[in-house]
Amino acid sequence: MGILSTIFSKIFPSSHAAPAPAAPSATAAAPATAPAAPVAQVDVEAILNGMAQKNAQKLNWSTSIVDLMKLLDLDSSLTARKTLAQELKYTGDTNDSASMNIWLHKQVMIKLGENGGKVPDALKH
């Protein structure tokens, strides 16, 4: 399991749809009004704020990829962040950790939003 998948698993409930794109359905005759098809958006900000309130450390998850990873109890080392950058197809210089970290945070928030998370626009810029 990649780091991004681990991030998803820590934020989204187990009942939430998998973050990977779904394969095309073999049965095109499924009713268009099936109530189980849409999954309610998960309020990412509320979940992370709730986790932060219970955390002894003061973590600024809303701007720092390192703090976000710490909040989710993940390895936040430079090596782990470089691995995440590789997963997300970062094309910049991974030795410029400041630029990479800003890019990573933005991309993680965008990916959460693309996969059923309700993420405020301010966290995606």
Side-chain angles (χ1 to χ4, degrees):
M1 180 187 303
I3 296 172
L4 186 62
S5 296
T6 304
I7 291 170
F8 285 151
S9 71
K10 301 258 185 181
I11 295 173
F12 294 124
S14 59
S15 62
H16 188 76
S25 175
T27 57
T33 58
V39 176
Q41 278 196 317
V42 173
D43 189 338
V44 172
E45 185 176 33
I47 289 170
L48 293 173
N49 279 336
M51 293 172 83
Q53 288 175 350
K54 296 173 190 167
N55 194 301
Q57 292 180 300
K58 183 166 173 45
L59 299 171
N60 189 5
W61 68 265
S62 64
T63 60
S64 168
I65 189 68
V66 172
D67 284 3
L68 175 63
M69 293 173 84
K70 285 181 181 179
L71 181 63
L72 297 174
D73 200 26
L74 299 174
D75 178 4
S76 62
S77 68
L78 180 58
T79 302
R81 286 179 278 128
K82 284 183 177 185
T83 300
L84 179 59
Q86 188 174 31
E87 282 181 40
L88 293 171
K89 312 227 183 312
Y90 181 63
T91 58
D93 181 3
T94 57
N95 292 315
D96 180 0
S97 63
S99 294
M100 181 182 72
N101 288 349
I102 292 166
W103 185 90
L104 282 173
H105 189 275
K106 177 182 173 182
Q107 291 304 306
V108 167
M109 291 299 141
I110 288 170
K111 293 293 183 192
L112 288 167
E114 289 174 350
N115 289 285
K118 180 180 157 211
V119 179
D121 285 341
L123 295 178
K124 296 187 267 186
H125 298 286

